[in-house]
Amino acid sequence: MTAVTRKNGRSSKALHGRLQQQLLKAKNQYGEPSGEALLELVSRTYDELDKQLARNHVEEFLDAIQCGIMLVNADGKVHHCNRAAFEVLGLTPKPNGKSFNIADALPKLASLKITDRRDRFVAEIEVAPGRHADIHATRTTSGMILTVKKAEYDSLRRNASFMMEEEYRSLFENSTCGIYRDRVDGTPVRCNPALVKFNGYDSEAEYRESVSHAQTNWYVDPNRPTQFHQMMKTEGCVKDFVSEVYRHRTREKVWITENAWYVRDHAGVPVYIEGTIQDASERIATMAIIEQQANLDSLTGLASRHRFLNALESKISDGREAFTVYSLDLDRFKPINDLYGHAAGDFVLKTIASELLTLVGDHDLVARLGGDEFAILHHGDDGDGKVTALAAKIVSLLRKPLSLKGHNLLVGASVGLASFPAHGQDSATLLGNADLALYKAKKSGGNTFCIFDAELRSGLQRRLNVEDELKSAVCDNELELYYQPVVDAATGSVQGYEALMRWHHPIRGLLPPSEFIQIAEDAGLMTDLGNWAIKCVCHQASALPTNIKVAVNVSANQFRSASILEALRTSLADSQLDPKRLILEITETVIMSNEAIADTIFEELREMGVSLALDDFGTGYSSLSYLQRFKFDKVKIDRSFVSGMSDSPANLAIVRAIIGIGNDLGIKIVAEGVETKAQADALITEGCPLLQGYYYGKPKPFTEVVNDLGVQRLQILQSFSLEEPIHLSARPQR
Ligand code: C2E
Ligand code: CA
Ligand code: CA
């Protein structure tokens, strides 16, 4: 008893209470206890009390420790948690030290680590927003001991953010770029003065107040918010996101560019959205100007090629209605530019542009594709005839002369049409087909329009094939010169020959020039073919009697290229042909398309000593001034006059006049296409000195000419002492 009293009053009271309970219990069970049993009862009670006291001591001791301590059973029950631990974890102490479930008190820790099988581990958990605890766990036989401390980093973090805040406050306050931090749900947390001002408010508080309460739309485009959040979700950020938005207060629309990113907690969960916002109005305005420039033709104000192609693409992808592409090309724009200068050219283009606009409908698009090329996108196909009616109107409008400073400028236009979907279902095909139709319109003399049809394309395919095959025709010895006699009207004897090209096509057989000369000219192959003809003519002519002259035709491209002079010089030198025996036949069109250089070339040709004939006289401009200016030796009256002589007195009069002029100027006149005796007689009566035509002989191979003239074989072989076998015979045997 003394021992009990010695401890303290509270303990002896507890002992008495305890003894009383025990005695009562013993009495009820066994009746009045013996002395021995009483002693045993008292000593057991003393033992139990000691244990309780020891436990109280331990608890007092644990509570005095600054570090938080938790004793956890294997089943996750906390059977002791000291005061420091309750404090750090922000938990309320349980009454009478009652045990509690760790999973209920600290779900984060429980879910993270309590099931961990390791004997020790360390974890950091957020116990309240911005507040963290470091937890060290040690596994024991009966459960775990956890020590709990305030996370060291918290204070470090606070210090660092304070320093950062100070350092960057000025940047935040003074930036002209709007900066903000919102909660993930969009509630504003912070924003800088620039953003406040941008939205038309005077203070951050005012802004936050209005923005939090007003559920107003920020983006003008209703799809923008979804796009923004989608990007945030997938990328975690948004960069250079350009949108039109409403300023919050005034609802004024403005273009901005924004950047945004998530601020996450340590577990990676987004807590805030931060971002910057900048006015992009200037950038958008510049982009608009650039776009306008790209879409407009600056000279005429019409749509540009770029805009036309975009419009065409979108009409095709829309695919709902038929429409027609007009490809338009001016017939005589270049001469106007060359003759009257670029200002006149610009005037023509501008006038035509505004006239075209008056002809088309509201939904049609008129564009200048470049140079003197225009295009129209017209709604509808030709089902109702409106498409052709518009084309006819365009052609007749542009056929009228434009007046500029007292000059009447005749421009004229050719138009090609292709309709969607009948003539093509993609832009390249449609434009290509409209161009093919345009090409046909041009070929038929201009000032007209043409609608695409499938035949045009197969014609083009044929042309392409011919072009391909022609490239190898010279090397493969497929070309040959045929010779048609020119006779002296007075004596009827052969005075010379005209060399005319033939192509031995490996599949199609013998082809006349009409099947390939124009194609070769267009494909830029005629210079080579023409120079080959010069070479061949010189060598073959040198085998013929010296009184025989030989004529060869010259194409426009060949005439233009300096290589004709070179080809003539070498061929004449190699063949030893007297230049006087060689005649170059040149048409007016060839001269006209090379007007600027014609004088120089003619001078060189004259110096070389070759003769010059003006071919097809009467079909072109029949410029008499050319006769004098270029000093032709011969003029060939076109076949059309000769054949029409008997029916039309006008034709006879023309033939007579040409012969008269020839006599006066000392130029020999050749009548072409003499087919009948009557024509020959009439021409002889009119005094035409030279005659050529089927009546006197059709064009024939060189070998036949040689036979006709009785030329010795040796003579032929001598004239062909050439390295290149191609010229040895008219057409070598294969
Ligand atoms: P061209 O220079 O006017 O040649 C005369 C054409 O009229 C030749 O046609 C000839 O065969 C044809 N002809 C001659 N007499 C008569 C006749 O009585 N009746 C008829 N109906 N026709 C007659 P071809 O050989 O078909 O040549 C056609 C054109 O091809 C030539 O017209 C010439 O412009 C061109 N050509 C021919 N060979 C060459 C060449 O080597 N170089 C160049 N650049 N053009 C050539
Ligand atoms: Ca000719
Ligand atoms: Ca001719």
Side-chain angles (χ1 to χ4, degrees):
M1 252 323 152
T2 41
V4 176
T5 340
R6 247 187 286 132
K7 300 223 168 179
N8 57 42
R10 227 171 18 152
S11 304
S12 50
K13 237 189 226 163
L15 175 67
H16 283 163
R18 187 91 184 116
L19 268 174
Q20 236 164 359
Q21 275 177 8
Q22 303 269 38
L23 274 170
L24 259 173
K25 224 168 141 191
K27 243 189 209 165
N28 290 341
Q29 246 179 333
Y30 314 105
E32 209 55 51
S34 65
E36 212 171 303
L38 202 65
L39 256 176
E40 166 65 26
L41 194 84
V42 170
S43 82
R44 215 171 51 218
T45 308
Y46 268 118
D47 274 2
E48 271 176 20
L49 190 72
D50 273 357
K51 267 189 203 157
Q52 180 63 44
L53 277 175
R55 191 186 156 103
N56 287 348
H57 274 303
V58 170
E59 282 180 5
E60 272 170 14
F61 168 75
L62 287 177
D63 277 348
I65 293 175
Q66 292 298 305
C67 174
I69 292 176
M70 283 173 111
L71 308 177
V72 188
N73 284 344
D75 59 3
K77 274 242 161 70
V78 180
H79 65 87
H80 188 80
C81 178
N82 74 350
R83 200 173 289 144
F86 277 121
E87 253 174 47
V88 172
L89 298 172
L91 300 172
T92 327
K94 306 290 167 197
N96 304 328
K98 239 179 112 186
S99 65
F100 57 93
N101 221 321
I102 192 148
D104 299 336
L106 289 173
K108 273 189 189 161
L109 179 70
S111 67
L112 278 176
K113 298 289 179 187
I114 206 72
T115 53
D116 200 303
R117 297 258 161 255
R118 287 172 298 168
D119 284 342
R120 281 166 187 278
F121 67 80
V122 181
E124 189 198 277
I125 58 166
E126 190 176 34
V127 288
R131 215 146 58 76
H132 299 81
D134 285 336
I135 300 196
H136 290 245
T138 311
R139 199 173 281 279
T140 63
T141 43
S142 56
M144 273 193 169
I145 300 173
L146 306 181
T147 61
V148 181
K149 276 195 298 180
K150 254 186 208 164
E152 279 171 31
Y153 290 120
D154 263 7
S155 56
L156 275 177
R157 258 195 283 252
R158 255 198 308 279
N159 281 343
S161 70
F162 176 74
M163 277 161 62
M164 289 268 280
E165 235 174 66
E166 282 308 300
E167 207 170 308
Y168 292 113
R169 183 184 302 281
S170 154
L171 204 58
F172 184 76
E173 297 289 330
N174 298 312
S175 168
T176 52
C177 158
I179 307 173
Y180 67 88
R181 170 186 279 191
D182 285 354
R183 284 194 212 294
V184 201
D185 65 4
T187 324
V189 178
R190 282 303 311 268
C191 74
N192 73 341
L195 192 75
V196 170
K197 201 170 149 213
F198 176 87
N199 278 305
Y201 294 104
D202 296 326
S203 72
E204 185 183 347
E206 192 188 4
Y207 165 79
R208 277 169 45 187
E209 178 70 7
S210 326
V211 173
S212 324
H213 298 307
Q215 283 302 314
T216 43
N217 293 333
W218 156 251
Y219 295 106
V220 174
D221 176 356
N223 299 319
R224 241 20 206 156
T226 323
Q227 291 162 356
F228 181 93
H229 288 295
Q230 194 60 37
M231 227 179 269
M232 287 295 283
K233 224 167 131 185
T234 51
E235 314 277 323
C237 65
V238 158
K239 283 180 188 156
D240 203 14
F241 191 71
V242 177
S243 332
E244 198 179 15
V245 299
Y246 297 106
R247 292 189 201 270
H248 276 295
R249 182 178 238 160
T250 55
R251 305 302 292 155
E252 176 203 349
K253 286 184 196 171
V254 59
W255 282 94
I256 56 148
T257 169
E258 57 184 314
N259 295 297
W261 55 91
Y262 279 131
V263 177
R264 299 169 188 274
D265 67 9
H266 74 281
V269 181
V271 194
Y272 301 116
I273 294 178
E274 287 181 346
T276 62
I277 284 171
Q278 268 177 299
D279 192 320
S281 316
E282 236 171 74
R283 183 162 133 190
I284 294 292
T286 319
M287 269 158 55
I289 294 172
I290 293 171
E291 185 160 311
Q292 197 192 34
Q293 281 172 348
N295 282 328
L296 268 193
D297 171 51
S298 57
L299 177 70
T300 60
L302 293 179
S304 64
R305 172 186 286 273
H306 173 76
R307 172 142 173 244
F308 184 82
L309 294 179
N310 281 348
L312 180 60
E313 288 292 354
S314 75
K315 283 228 70 101
I316 291 171
S317 60
D318 176 44
R320 277 182 302 187
E321 52 175 5
F323 62 87
T324 302
V325 173
Y326 290 59
S327 181
L328 192 153
D329 196 273
L330 303 184
D331 291 335
R332 280 173 297 277
F333 180 68
K334 198 177 173 297
I336 292 176
N337 234 354
D338 292 349
L339 274 166
Y340 303 105
H342 288 281
D346 287 355
F347 164 79
V348 166
L349 294 173
K350 280 196 252 183
T351 313
I352 287 173
S354 59
E355 286 183 343
L356 286 176
L357 286 173
T358 63
L359 293 183
V360 300
D362 289 346
H363 301 293
D364 296 349
L365 182 73
V366 184
R368 178 171 165 244
L369 304 185
D372 59 346
E373 263 180 84
F374 294 83
I376 298 170
L377 202 63
H378 174 71
H379 292 248
D381 54 17
D382 207 29
D384 51 6
K386 283 189 185 147
V387 164
T388 37
L390 175 62
K393 270 193 217 163
I394 294 171
V395 170
S396 79
L397 180 84
L398 297 185
R399 191 180 279 152
K400 291 187 192 132
L402 292 175
S403 88
L404 172 74
K405 292 181 187 161
H407 298 288
N408 273 341
L409 309 180
L410 270 174
V411 189
S414 303
V415 186
L417 282 68
S419 296
F420 171 88
H423 302 146
Q425 290 174 27
D426 60 82
S427 58
T429 313
L430 270 173
L431 285 171
N433 288 347
D435 281 348
L436 265 182
L438 168 69
Y439 179 79
K440 191 180 170 198
K442 280 235 172 259
K443 279 273 144 193
S444 58
N447 259 332
T448 186
F449 68 89
C450 172
I451 304 178
F452 172 81
D453 64 50
E455 175 52 33
L456 273 177
R457 182 146 291 284
S458 48
L460 174 80
Q461 196 51 56
R462 272 201 302 279
R463 282 179 69 86
L464 290 177
N465 291 347
V466 167
E467 223 179 277
D468 249 19
E469 293 162 345
L470 258 181
K471 284 179 191 153
S472 52
V474 176
C475 298
D476 294 350
N477 288 331
E478 289 170 4
L479 297 178
E480 181 179 356
L481 291 179
Y482 271 38
Y483 289 85
Q484 184 179 33
V486 178
V487 301
D488 189 315
T491 61
S493 60
V494 174
Q495 180 264 355
Y497 290 90
E498 177 179 1
L500 295 158
M501 207 181 281
R502 297 290 181 266
W503 180 11
H504 293 270
H505 189 278
I507 298 162
R508 294 164 66 199
L510 188 70
L511 299 181
S514 55
E515 293 281 335
F516 62 92
I517 292 276
Q518 191 55 50
I519 298 175
E521 183 79 345
D522 294 344
L525 300 169
M526 203 49 221
T527 305
D528 284 348
L529 295 195
N531 289 346
W532 167 83
I534 288 176
K535 205 168 182 178
C536 192
V537 151
C538 288
H539 286 283
Q540 293 181 329
S542 67
L544 302 180
T546 49
N547 63 326
I548 299 289
K549 295 190 171 184
V550 179
V552 66
N553 293 283
V554 173
S555 82
N557 283 338
Q558 190 189 2
F559 185 77
R560 193 172 304 136
S561 133
S563 68
I564 189 180
L565 300 172
E566 186 54 32
L568 278 166
R569 273 188 203 106
T570 26
S571 304
L572 287 168
D574 288 352
S575 63
Q576 300 284 299
L577 179 76
D578 177 357
K580 282 199 210 79
R581 290 178 57 207
L582 182 66
I583 306 163
L584 299 183
E585 294 196 1
I586 300 163
T587 62
E588 275 178 314
T589 353
V590 168
I591 302 170
M592 281 198 46
S593 59
N594 296 288
E595 183 92 39
I597 51 164
D599 289 291
T600 332
I601 296 182
F602 274 97
E603 212 176 289
E604 297 240 21
L605 294 174
R606 287 249 159 259
E607 262 174 37
M608 242 177 252
V610 294
S611 301
L612 301 166
L614 182 60
D615 205 356
D616 300 347
F617 191 74
T619 55
Y621 282 72
S622 306
S623 154
L624 295 177
S625 67
Y626 276 0
L627 298 183
Q628 277 231 295
R629 180 170 154 197
F630 300 113
K631 300 192 176 60
F632 283 103
D633 304 283
K634 285 194 170 102
V635 167
K636 299 184 83 171
I637 308 176
D638 190 68
R639 178 157 60 91
S640 55
F641 297 104
V642 175
S643 61
M645 232 170 33
S646 52
D647 308 330
S648 144
N651 275 343
L652 179 64
I654 291 170
V655 172
R656 190 175 290 154
I658 298 173
I659 295 169
I661 293 168
N663 286 339
D664 291 348
L665 296 177
I667 300 172
K668 283 233 162 137
I669 305 295
V670 187
E672 284 191 291
V674 184
E675 290 181 342
T676 61
K677 183 170 183 319
Q679 286 167 350
D681 290 345
L683 286 160
I684 292 165
T685 315
E686 293 301 329
C688 184
L690 296 167
L691 305 169
Q692 177 184 355
Y694 291 171
Y695 178 67
Y696 294 103
K698 288 196 170 180
K700 50 185 149 189
F702 180 66
T703 42
E704 288 181 31
V705 173
V706 164
N707 283 341
D708 290 352
L709 296 175
V711 179
Q712 294 300 308
R713 195 175 153 70
L714 185 67
Q715 164 95 41
I716 301 169
L717 286 176
Q718 273 169 357
S719 73
F720 288 105
S721 54
L722 284 170
E723 315 81 63
E724 290 170 76
I726 183 173
H727 304 298
L728 269 173
S729 71
R731 182 167 183 263
Q733 299 304 306
R734 286 195 284 169

